[in-house]
Amino acid sequence: MAESTAATGLTVQQWDDKFFVEHVQQNRFASEMGTSENAIIQVKQDLTQKKGDSITYALVNRLTGNGVANGATLEGNEEDMESRSFKLTIGERANGVRVTDWENQISAIDLRKAGKMTLKTWAMENTRDRIIQALGSINGVAYGSASAAQKNAWTVDNVDRVLFGSAVGNYSATHATALAAIDATDDKLTASAASLMKRIARSANPKIRPVMSESSGRFYYTAYVPSLVFRDLKDDPVVKNAQRDVSLRMQNEKLFKGGDIEWDGIIFKEIEDIPVVAGAGAASIDVAPVYLCGAQALGYGIAKRWKSAEEVFDYGRKKGVAIMEMGGIEKMIFGSGSGDTDDLKDHGIVTGFFAAVPDA
């Protein structure tokens, strides 16, 4: 009796679909990704349906006017949303593994299954690293690669959404000078400094919109914090006392995960891979960035979702499997001058720099 088997192409497609779903769900930043303007990392897949190398996002600001009341005429008195656009350019990335037919024979391992975890881990780490690089980028240039002049220009243009240490007075138009004002005692991340970052987000021009929780309707900012800075926040007595009822109250919040800290409407997430700025603080201490994010902080444009491919080499003696994606991840920025690209500002992020003193 004949037995039916799944077509090879169908099996590969199922593998790819499952791979993409797991990649999204298990990514470190998964809970902050979404397709709407309410997401911290807004995902758009426009180019999966058409050709092109860029995706344009509409950056939506909060309405701040008083509106009209008591029968006053609304027509002609509508408020300008002051929306701007952001163009995200996509690129291609791929990785693969190759083994010989002999290795397959003696190990009896299915190449696709054996390579799946390794390749999925690489893809998730690659996405994580691109998100972290985008968070710290200076108008599209990786922080570590940006020149002093580029950092200075960014600091000036983002004066209403940057904080150096625990005091607004630490600010300087010269980026290196502002970092050098951060000391190991007074400029740790504390409850007070965290609340200051939130006030900066709410008073920035335009304001940085918090994300509305789908489960509770409450509004939150999310802050990504490197480990040494997260340690100091967690040790703050005010924060310690506030966490006693947080786990129970926040257990149904999609944005909140075990190990996170919630304070003053901010969800703090420890991201151990955020790099420090070595020796940049007072007395040459290390400092590190904290990214307090609202809606549309980052864009993730996808032209081709992660997919796999197999290849046979050397007269069929060697086989390889690869994964690849066409997409891009960038911090959303907008022009605060007369045009979309004049005097660029970070759209949805307050960047704070704090002491990051190593454990004794």
Side-chain angles (χ1 to χ4, degrees), residues 33-36 39 41-46 57 298-302:
M33 291 184 178
T35 57
S36 76
I41 304 173
Q42 187 181 2
V43 180
K44 295 189 74 171
Q45 302 188 59
D46 294 21
Y57 288 78
L298 299 182
Y300 185 2
I302 299 174

Side-chain angles (χ1 to χ4, degrees), residues 185-297:
T185 303
D186 296 329
D187 293 311
K188 297 178 180 179
L189 179 60
T190 61
S192 177
S195 293
L196 175 56
M197 290 188 73
K198 179 180 176 180
R199 291 195 298 275
I200 289 172
R202 294 173 70 89
S203 63
N205 183 26
K207 298 179 180 180
I208 294 174
R209 293 185 296 121
V211 171
M212 186 180 73
S213 167
E214 297 175 359
S215 55
S216 68
R218 295 184 62 192
F219 289 89
Y220 294 98
Y221 291 104
T222 293
Y224 301 116
V225 187
S227 294
L228 293 173
V229 181
F230 193 86
R231 170 205 63 194
D232 295 335
L233 178 67
K234 189 166 59 175
D235 287 344
D236 184 334
V238 176
V239 172
K240 275 186 177 180
N241 291 332
Q243 301 312 297
R244 292 175 180 175
D245 70 332
V246 163
S247 294
L248 181 62
R249 176 166 52 84
M250 300 288 287
Q251 62 183 351
N252 293 322
E253 289 288 353
K254 176 185 175 183
L255 293 171
F256 187 86
K257 303 296 182 184
D260 293 347
I261 292 174
E262 190 272 334
W263 164 257
D264 195 17
I266 309 169
I267 297 174
F268 296 88
K269 296 179 178 291
E270 181 180 9
I271 306 293
E272 63 273 12
D273 301 288
I274 294 176
V276 302
V277 186
S284 298
I285 66 163
D286 295 343
V287 300
V290 170
Y291 306 110
L292 185 145
C293 298
Q296 295 184 297

